Amino acid sequence: MGYIGGGVVLVVIGAILMYAVEVTIPGIDSNTLAVILMVAGVVLFVIGLLFAMRSRSRRVPDDRY
C-alpha cells in the first residue's frame, strides 16, 4: 500500500474513532488519538501526492529518432 492509500486509511480510522465509536482506554483520550491519526493521515497523503507529482515531472521525452 502506498503513501496515498495509507494516508486515506489513517484518516478513515481516525474519523471512525472520533465520530462513531465510544471507546474508553485507560490513560489515553480517544479523541486525541483520533485527531493524531487524522493529521498523520493527511501528512502521509500529501507526501504521497508530492512523490507522485515528482515522478511524473522527471520523464523526459525521447525525440532523438
Side-chain angles (χ1 to χ4, degrees), residues 7-64:
V8 170
V9 167
L10 285 178
V11 169
V12 168
I13 291 172
I16 290 171
L17 186 60
M18 179 172 266
Y19 299 113
V21 178
E22 195 66 35
V23 178
T24 305
I25 305 170
I28 299 174
D29 184 27
S30 62
N31 287 336
T32 304
L33 180 61
V35 169
I36 290 170
L37 286 173
M38 288 192 285
V39 168
V42 168
V43 168
L44 198 59
F45 184 79
V46 169
I47 289 172
L49 286 178
L50 290 175
F51 279 145
M53 289 173 24
R54 191 178 97 183
S55 67
R56 286 187 183 184
S57 67
R58 289 190 174 197
R59 292 185 184 163
V60 178
D62 193 14
D63 295 335
R64 297 181 200 166

